[in-house]
Amino acid sequence: YTLAIQLYRDKINLNFNEVKPYTDIGVCYFFLGTYDSAIYYSNRAISIDPSFNKSYEILAVTYKAMNKLDSAKKYEVIAKKNNSGFKL
């Protein structure tokens, strides 16, 4: 995941306003168990494009992994609103 994070950062350096690399970095940090970074990058993606649903999904599963269930539910509701097939 570390190499993937670096490659996504390189992509961000080419285009700061592309949302997907931020979300992908968030996914990598989630799988590394670095939840604060997963949250940071997911929120950064949302600030660029609030309609990019994957970012909300990552926030929901990250907060669930942290046992912050109120926050997980908040983002689950948003994710489900945008994608009825999403389940936490």
Side-chain angles (χ1 to χ4, degrees):
Y1 293 109
T2 304
L3 177 60
I5 290 169
Q6 186 54 53
L7 293 172
Y8 290 130
R9 284 185 178 153
D10 291 345
K11 194 167 184 180
I12 288 168
N13 287 334
L14 297 174
N15 183 358
F16 287 98
N17 292 318
E18 187 177 348
V19 68
K20 192 167 181 334
Y22 289 99
T23 300
D24 292 340
I25 290 173
V27 170
C28 289
Y29 277 123
F30 171 80
F31 284 113
L32 288 171
T34 312
Y35 299 136
D36 289 340
S37 294
I39 291 167
Y40 171 81
Y41 281 97
S42 296
N43 280 321
R44 180 70 179 101
I46 290 167
S47 74
I48 294 169
D49 183 359
S51 69
F52 194 71
N53 199 54
K54 188 71 171 178
S55 303
Y56 298 104
E57 294 173 7
I58 297 306
L59 285 171
V61 297
T62 301
Y63 280 117
K64 183 178 180 184
M66 297 171 71
N67 204 32
K68 294 185 176 184
L69 302 181
D70 287 341
S71 294
K73 186 66 174 175
K74 172 185 168 183
Y75 290 106
E76 178 188 21
V77 167
I78 296 168
K80 280 185 175 181
K81 184 174 161 183
N82 297 330
N83 174 7
S84 61
F86 176 72
K87 291 191 176 196
L88 186 57

